[in-house]
Amino acid sequence: VQLVESGGGLVQPGGSLRLSCVGSRDIFRNNAMGWYRQVPGKAREWVAGITEGGIPVLGLAAQGRFSISRDNFLSAIYLQMNNLKPEDTAIYYCNTVVDRSGGRWDSADDWGQGTQVTVAS
């Protein structure tokens, strides 16, 4: 599985970023997709997901500030992040979702390089 994330950067608190993730058409057409993030020294956490049919689901940290969308024609998903906070600083990854049982958004094991988001004054 090869996914490429982009769109990260340095932004001030309260600012916005739009992350993109592109991959092969087969990956996006047949799978729920998710955004995840990781701070060095901490476990990777799920941020937001979107079903094969385009239904978005946001984690608690993302609710009210982030939105997720997908474009299967372009084989892409996006994470629009508004009102960013310093605690949003992390490397953000996208991945296919392999287990959604019980409300889980467990990802596949392979990860791309991610995109760094830094929120600081």
Side-chain angles (χ1 to χ4, degrees):
V1 174
Q2 185 171 14
L3 297 163
V4 179
E5 303 91 346
S6 64
L10 173 63
V11 64
Q12 293 186 343
S16 298
L17 286 173
R18 185 181 190 234
L19 306 184
S20 299
C21 168
V22 296
S24 71
R25 184 173 298 176
D26 285 345
I27 291 173
F28 283 86
R29 183 176 63 229
N30 298 321
N31 288 288
M33 300 293 297
W35 282 100
Y36 304 80
R37 67 186 182 186
Q38 188 171 26
V39 176
K42 295 187 177 181
R44 189 176 281 124
E45 66 171 343
W46 171 71
V47 176
I50 190 163
T51 68
E52 300 91 320
I55 299 174
V57 180
L58 300 175
L60 287 176
Q63 291 176 10
R65 301 187 299 127
F66 297 0
S67 61
I68 184 172
S69 59
R70 69 188 296 160
D71 187 329
N72 289 342
F73 181 76
L74 295 178
S75 302
I77 63 168
Y78 307 97
L79 185 68
Q80 176 67 44
M81 305 188 295
N82 299 324
N83 191 21
L84 282 160
K85 303 175 181 180
E87 51 263 43
D88 295 317
T89 296
I91 300 174
Y92 284 70
Y93 304 85
C94 65
N95 211 334
T96 56
V97 177
V98 299
D99 185 358
R100 289 181 51 220
S101 59
R104 302 161 66 97
W105 286 83
D106 290 352
S107 68
D109 292 332
D110 295 331
W111 295 92
Q113 292 191 340
T115 185
Q116 174 73 49
V117 171
T118 303
V119 185
S121 300

